[in-house]
Amino acid sequence: MKTKIAGLFGGLLAMVLVPAALINVPAYADAAESTFSGTVSDKTTADVLYLVTSGGTMQFKLDATTDLSTAKFLLPGYDVTVTGSVGGDEYWHAGKVTGTAVAGAANLDSRQYLVRGRIEKGTNEEMLYLDTSDGTMEIKIDPNTDVSGVRLFVIGRSLEVTCSRGTDAYMHAVTIKDATAQSAAASTTPATAQAATAEKQATVTAPAADAAQAAQSTTTVMGTVEKATTPSVLCLNTSGGKMQFKIDSGATSDCRALIPGQTITAAYYRGADEWNHVNSLTNNSSKKADVSALDGSRLTVDGTVGTNTTEGTLYLVTSGGTMQIRMDAGTDFSACPVLTGGRKVQVACQRGADEYYHALSISAQ
C-alpha cells in the first residue's frame, strides 16, 4: 500500500515539475530582446539609463556596444525607446536607444574659442548649459555641430567645446567632445577669457576703436530683463529669442534699474570682441521719480537692491528692514551705473517734501 501511495505521489510531483521546467527554460536559454518606451530619469548616468515607464522605473546598463547614434541626448524628461535584453549578470542591457531630439538652428561667426566644463541641468538638444570655472555658459547646439566625439549627453558629464559667437549674441558649438580625466576641472583658454568671464567683471569700458561705431549705432531691440543679468552683462528676452549684451561705462544714462521682468529698449552695436555692446538703454516699465525739495539731515545707509526696485524707487534691504528711496534726476549714479537685484550698495539720501527719502548718490560696495 505504501508503495502504491509513493508511486502515485511521485507521478503527481512529476506532472507539476515538468510544466514548471518548461516555463523557466526560455528565460535562461534565450536572451530575447524586448522594447520599452518611457522618459529619461534625472538619475541617469553615463553608465546606466534610468527609464521611467508606465510600469515603473527600469535600469539599463549602457555598454560600449550600445547603439546611441539616434539618442545623444539622455537628459531628464526626454522620451526614448530602448531595445535590450537581460545579460548573464541579471541586469538589463541596452542594445539600442532611440530618441527624437534634434539640434536647433545655426548662426555663427568666424572666431573660435575653447571651453571646458560639466553639463548642467537645463541642457537640451538646442542649448548646452556648461558649468565652467568662470560660471555657467549658455552655448547653442546647431544641426551642423560636430558631436561625434560625445558618446551621450548626461548631467555632470565633462566636455570640451569649441565654439563661436553668433550674430544673436550667443556662443554656438562648433565641435563638442568628451573631456579627458585631467581636463574635467573646468578651464578656458586665454582667447576665451574675455567671453567666459564677462559676467564676473565690473562694468567694462568699450574699446576706443569702437567709439565711432557706437555713436552711429541705430540697431535697437525691446525685451524683458532676464534673471541672469549682471552689472556687466544684460540678458534680454526678446521676440526673436534671448540676447546678451555687454554693458559699457556711460551706456545706461536713460536706464539704471535692470531688474528681472522689467521691459527695456536697448540700442547696441557690434564690438571688435564679437560681443554686442549696449549704446543706450531705455526703461519702458517705469520712469524716474519726480524731483522734490529736500530738507533735514542727510543719511547714509548700506544694503542690497531689492527685487521690487524700479527706475524711480530703490527698495533697499537693510539690517533694519526694507527702505523705499526715490531716485530722480538729481541722483548721482557715477559710482554705480547699474542696479541689479541683490547688488550691495551704499546710499546717501535726504528726506524730501513728499516725505520720501531721495537718493543723492548711490555707490557699489
Side-chain angles (χ1 to χ4, degrees), residues 191-249:
T192 314
Q194 188 175 25
T197 63
E199 294 192 4
K200 290 197 171 185
Q201 297 173 351
T203 303
V204 183
T205 302
D210 291 335
Q213 183 180 5
Q216 299 173 0
S217 174
T218 56
T219 306
T220 60
V221 64
M222 184 172 70
T224 304
V225 178
E226 290 277 285
K227 187 169 61 175
T229 294
T230 70
S232 59
V233 176
L234 166 64
C235 298
L236 202 62
N237 189 2
T238 74
S239 59
K242 294 181 181 180
M243 300 182 68
Q244 295 178 330
F245 308 85
K246 274 191 178 179
I247 303 174
D248 302 318
S249 58

Side-chain angles (χ1 to χ4, degrees), residues 65-282:
T65 56
T66 301
D67 182 359
L68 296 166
S69 58
T70 61
K72 289 281 187 179
F73 299 92
L74 294 185
L75 300 169
Y78 277 50
D79 294 325
V80 296
T81 299
V82 183
T83 300
S85 59
V86 178
D89 55 2
E90 300 301 322
Y91 276 95
W92 279 95
H93 289 252
K96 182 176 183 179
V97 184
T98 305
T100 58
V102 294
N107 194 1
L108 302 177
D109 285 345
S110 57
R111 187 177 302 179
Q112 294 188 348
Y113 307 89
L114 178 65
V115 293
R116 296 186 180 91
R118 296 178 182 274
I119 299 175
E120 279 195 345
K121 284 188 176 182
T123 294
N124 55 49
E125 70 274 14
E126 296 182 351
M127 184 71 74
L128 167 64
Y129 287 84
L130 195 68
D131 180 18
T132 76
S133 59
D134 294 304
T136 300
M137 292 185 66
E138 297 181 21
I139 305 174
K140 284 193 173 181
I141 303 174
D142 302 323
N144 57 346
T145 299
D146 182 3
V147 294
S148 59
V150 183
R151 179 161 168 75
L152 72 164
F153 288 78
V154 292
I155 306 302
R157 194 174 186 88
S158 297
L159 300 178
E160 184 177 276
V161 185
T162 301
C163 49
S164 295
R165 187 163 295 282
T167 53
D168 56 0
Y170 276 98
M171 298 297 285
H172 288 249
V174 178
T175 61
I176 306 176
K177 59 183 180 180
D178 288 323
T180 59
Q182 67 185 75
S183 64
S187 62
T188 60
T189 64
T192 314
Q194 188 175 25
T197 63
E199 294 192 4
K200 290 197 171 185
Q201 297 173 351
T203 303
V204 183
T205 302
D210 291 335
Q213 183 180 5
Q216 299 173 0
S217 174
T218 56
T219 306
T220 60
V221 64
M222 184 172 70
T224 304
V225 178
E226 290 277 285
K227 187 169 61 175
T229 294
T230 70
S232 59
V233 176
L234 166 64
C235 298
L236 202 62
N237 189 2
T238 74
S239 59
K242 294 181 181 180
M243 300 182 68
Q244 295 178 330
F245 308 85
K246 274 191 178 179
I247 303 174
D248 302 318
S249 58
T252 57
S253 58
D254 296 325
C255 178
R256 300 296 180 181
L258 296 181
I259 305 299
Q262 296 200 28
T263 302
I264 65 173
T265 297
Y268 64 96
Y269 65 95
R270 192 71 167 177
D273 57 0
E274 303 299 327
W275 275 81
N276 286 329
H277 288 254
V278 169
N279 188 15
S280 66
L281 296 174
T282 302

